[in-house]
Amino acid sequence: MRELKLNSGHYIPILGLGTWQIKGQAAYDATLWAIEAGYRHIDTARLYANETEVGQAIKDSGIDRGQIFVTTKLWPTDFGKPRQAFEASLERLGLDYVDLYLIHWPRFNAETGVWRQLETLNKEGLAKSIGVSNYGRRNLSKLLETAEISPAVNQIELHPFAYNAGLVDFCHEQGIVIEAYSPLGHGSLLSEPILVKMAAKYGKSVAQLLIRWNLQHGWVSLPKSKSGLRIAENMDVFDFEITVDDMHKLDTLT
Ligand code: A2P
């Protein structure tokens, strides 16, 4: 599995399974199928209410814990007690550390103290890397003013119809890796005629084209699916290359 180096020195697999809105048995199955298909990166959050099932599937997969990159996130209602929330996530996951812990959503003026606590979890080795999600430039700049440790990633919604190039460039300048969630536009882009036509040219599905667009940009892609077949399909993106022209077309669809 291809990886990117984070500013923490750790490596992140460039393709991961997103698990938002996948709960209970479906979350367990999806996680297990993903690992069987070769994914080594699972993205969850306390908000998703599936940490227990995701953690159990990781354990049952039989793959060494150190081989699987696990992300979870702190929801703003827990900003008053980040450590407690983190420990509760660890317990549900059945893990003794996570690879990446994110502030799930910014809340104006609340971040400095919260980020300090994530920095402490990082220094203690409990969260190997720390980062943010859904941060715009303003929130990121504010956090960077007082941060001792720079966020390793910013996880944002990112597909050709939701592409904030200014924010992406800013993150790259700061050494912050971009993670794309909802790379398929929640599935709504899959029948877009221009994408259907372009994907057919490569003998690939639109989902594969969109995931590949993320990867060629150097972003982590986090497609989500409850189907074993589609989970495997979304992984089959390493045998083709989108041309420079088509990359440009995808970049400018918005
Ligand atoms: P399903 O779970 O039934 O596979 P996003 O990651 O952009 O949020 O998109 C997720 C949506 O896209 C889900 O509804 C998922 O449905 C669907 N989906 C994921 N992968 C594929 C695929 N390869 N082909 C078609 N639909 C997909």
Side-chain angles (χ1 to χ4, degrees):
M1 166 68 78
R2 285 96 177 141
E3 297 178 317
L4 291 173
K5 191 172 188 182
L6 300 173
N7 62 15
S8 58
H10 294 283
Y11 288 84
I12 185 168
I14 198 159
L15 183 60
L17 178 75
T19 64
W20 181 46
Q21 292 181 324
I22 307 180
K23 290 190 185 168
Q25 184 66 33
Y28 177 87
D29 290 343
T31 305
L32 201 55
W33 289 330
I35 296 170
E36 283 169 5
Y39 289 63
R40 290 294 178 267
H41 176 178
I42 311 290
D43 184 275
T44 180
R46 132 63 169 118
L47 182 79
Y48 303 169
N50 61 16
E51 290 170 309
T52 304
E53 291 80 7
V54 165
Q56 191 61 46
I58 290 170
K59 194 167 293 164
D60 293 350
S61 74
I63 300 290
D64 184 44
R65 162 69 185 101
Q67 299 300 310
I68 303 184
F69 190 102
V70 183
T71 299
T72 194
K73 314 186 188 83
L74 175 75
W75 190 246
T77 48
D78 288 330
F79 277 2
K81 46 177 172 127
R83 176 172 289 269
Q84 216 179 313
F86 175 79
E87 284 171 356
S89 280
L90 271 193
E91 191 166 336
R92 284 188 292 270
L93 284 161
L95 300 177
D96 52 12
Y97 70 90
V98 294
D99 297 279
L100 181 62
Y101 195 48
L102 305 182
I103 295 183
H104 201 150
W105 213 281
R107 185 183 275 176
F108 195 61
N109 278 341
E111 268 77 29
T112 306
V114 176
W115 187 249
R116 282 274 169 275
Q117 299 212 36
L118 264 67
E119 289 176 331
T120 304
L121 293 170
N122 179 239
K123 286 177 195 164
E124 291 172 4
L126 295 170
K128 303 282 181 203
S129 302
I130 51 175
V132 296
S133 183
N134 299 298
Y135 271 54
R137 281 183 69 151
R138 194 178 56 132
N139 285 304
L140 258 181
S141 304
K142 192 161 187 304
L143 187 140
L144 287 168
E145 272 172 25
T146 54
E148 192 187 316
I149 299 170
S150 183
V153 308
N154 187 15
Q155 184 181 125
I156 54 175
E157 180 170 3
L158 188 45
H159 51 75
F161 293 99
Y163 176 29
N164 181 342
L167 174 60
V168 167
D169 290 347
F170 178 75
C171 288
H172 284 166
E173 280 158 25
Q174 299 294 328
I176 298 170
V177 165
I178 292 286
E179 292 188 292
Y181 75 74
S182 289
L184 316 179
H186 307 277
S188 69
L189 300 183
L190 302 176
S191 51
E192 274 293 323
I194 185 168
L195 298 178
V196 172
K197 197 169 160 207
M198 192 185 289
K201 201 172 82 183
Y202 295 99
K204 287 287 176 180
S205 69
V206 172
Q208 291 167 329
L209 177 79
L210 292 172
I211 294 163
R212 182 74 202 184
W213 178 68
N214 289 175
L215 306 190
Q216 283 187 217
H217 266 297
W219 309 326
V220 172
S221 191
L222 299 170
K224 58 180 190 292
S225 176
K226 290 194 285 292
S227 141
L229 276 179
R230 289 189 285 278
I231 286 170
E233 176 188 326
N234 295 345
M235 178 80 180
D236 182 19
V237 291
F238 295 104
D239 62 349
F240 75 112
E241 176 100 19
I242 304 173
T243 63
V244 173
D245 269 7
D246 284 344
M247 284 297 285
H248 181 69
K249 274 187 202 147
L250 293 171
D251 287 353
T252 49
L253 281 181
T254 6

